[in-house]
Amino acid sequence: QVQLVESGGGLVQPGGSLRLSCAASGRTFSGYAMAWFRQAPGKEREFVASISWLGQTAISADSVKGRFTISRDNAKNTVYLQMNSLKPEDTAVYSCAVKGGPVSSRPNEYIYWGQGTQVTVSS
């Protein structure tokens, strides 16, 4: 059974940093892209960033460009999201997801999802 388990969320002050991790298990993920999405209360799910299997291609939302960096360690089946210069509007539940093939910002293309980790940016 495939499992995606996120960690690293928490409460941080504006301007601070957090590093999220998502560990995948239950199958081989060779050739699969991984991504982060987020959902704030009362809002739709929003794409954050996606990275290809070998890490040579990464895309991110305009709202996080220059502040967030996605990376992965295939030996550990883990994807990371380094978040710097955090803003109150980054507050959301952050979830990781996996899909076959290339990177994508479309959530309906992702077949496996984690439960999410809460990130709260507040003073």
Side-chain angles (χ1 to χ4, degrees):
Q1 183 176 352
V2 174
Q3 278 193 315
L4 302 179
V5 180
E6 300 95 339
S7 61
L11 173 64
V12 63
Q13 292 187 342
S17 297
L18 281 175
R19 188 194 195 205
L20 305 183
S21 300
C22 172
S25 62
R27 65 159 294 158
T28 300
F29 292 97
S30 176
Y32 280 61
M34 301 184 79
W36 288 95
F37 291 82
R38 66 186 182 186
Q39 188 166 20
K43 294 189 176 181
E44 292 189 356
R45 179 179 285 162
E46 177 188 17
F47 169 74
V48 177
S50 179
I51 188 166
S52 61
W53 161 244
L54 293 177
Q56 76 275 36
T57 303
I59 59 172
S60 60
D62 288 343
S63 58
V64 306
K65 274 191 172 70
R67 300 189 298 123
F68 292 10
T69 302
I70 189 170
S71 62
R72 66 190 292 171
D73 183 341
N74 290 336
K76 298 180 179 179
N77 275 345
T78 300
V79 63
Y80 304 97
L81 186 67
Q82 178 66 45
M83 304 186 296
N84 299 328
S85 302
L86 281 160
K87 305 174 182 180
E89 50 264 43
D90 294 318
T91 295
V93 174
Y94 284 71
S95 300
C96 65
V98 175
K99 68 179 291 289
V103 298
S104 172
S105 62
R106 299 174 179 151
N108 61 353
E109 294 186 19
Y110 288 81
I111 55 175
Y112 301 116
W113 289 83
Q115 292 296 311
T117 184
Q118 176 71 46
V119 172
T120 302
V121 185
S122 174
S123 54

